[in-house]
Amino acid sequence: MESDACAVLADASAQVPDWSREARRPGEWNPGKCLLASLRDYQRLAASPGAWAMLCKKWAVLRHRFWSAVSGADIPLNTQIGGGLLLPHPNGVVIHPDARIGPNCLIFQQVTLGTRGDGGAPVLKGHVDVGAGAKLLGGITVGAHAVVGANAVVLVDVPQGAVAVGIPAVISGSSAHE
């Protein structure tokens, strides 16, 4: 079972979102997927006119607040997140509203995508894996298929397919996805 999950993760596209990664099975307890579902519903309904859409949008906001409290994650409703995001353990995930996340990314617990003095927020291209506790700060870009190691503090751009580790992070080779 676990090797199947690894194969799915390794084959993820950096361009085409795999929405099945966010799909919930009936009765599944998965606060990360529930949080993302409320965020997706809110964004889908944001431009919809009418009283019903307004009511559904308010319901999405309530669900977002609930799942944010349950998961301990701080992901604003208007964050630009590509499809197929995996948040297996969303506890402590903090994402700046100006950060952008490409399709099929993987973000583990206690990750921060935040700003520095420059005011810019990180941009993750497609299929970027971010390890637990990593901090990505400032107007940096992490290339497609890159991997950020656990507890890394990334303050510079990470090229496509590279691995960034350490404090401050250094580029230490290429990911298995390249």
Side-chain angles (χ1 to χ4, degrees):
M1 178 79 168
E2 188 168 315
S3 63
D4 291 341
C6 291
V8 169
L9 293 175
D11 293 338
S13 168
Q15 303 293 323
V16 180
D18 180 0
W19 291 102
S20 68
R21 293 161 53 112
E22 293 185 19
R24 292 174 292 156
R25 293 179 302 232
E28 177 184 18
W29 173 257
N30 190 322
K33 288 182 179 180
C34 293
L35 179 63
L36 284 173
S38 66
L39 190 142
R40 302 284 186 210
D41 287 347
Y42 176 83
Q43 292 180 350
R44 180 175 43 81
L45 294 164
S48 300
W52 180 250
M54 181 64 76
L55 186 63
C56 291
K57 194 167 85 174
K58 288 184 185 287
W59 176 241
V61 170
L62 288 174
R63 289 175 29 231
H64 180 265
R65 289 182 181 167
F66 174 78
W67 289 112
S68 292
V70 168
S71 66
D74 183 3
I75 304 174
L77 281 166
N78 292 321
T79 306
Q80 296 178 35
I81 300 175
L85 176 64
L86 289 179
L87 293 169
H89 306 287
N91 180 278
V93 172
V94 177
I95 298 177
H96 190 277
D98 294 334
R100 290 181 294 167
I101 301 171
N104 303 324
C105 289
L106 169 65
I107 297 176
F108 280 98
Q109 67 273 15
Q110 303 295 324
V111 167
T112 297
L113 304 181
T115 60
R116 296 176 66 196
D118 64 0
V123 174
L124 305 184
K125 300 292 187 179
H127 192 218
V128 174
D129 296 346
V130 183
K135 312 300 182 221
L136 290 75
L137 304 174
I140 62 170
T141 299
V142 180
H145 301 292
V147 174
V148 176
N151 294 316
V153 177
V154 183
L155 304 174
V156 296
D157 291 344
V158 178
Q160 177 176 330
V163 176
V165 294
I167 304 172
V170 295
I171 309 305
S172 68
S174 63
S175 70
H177 307 304
E178 280 294 300

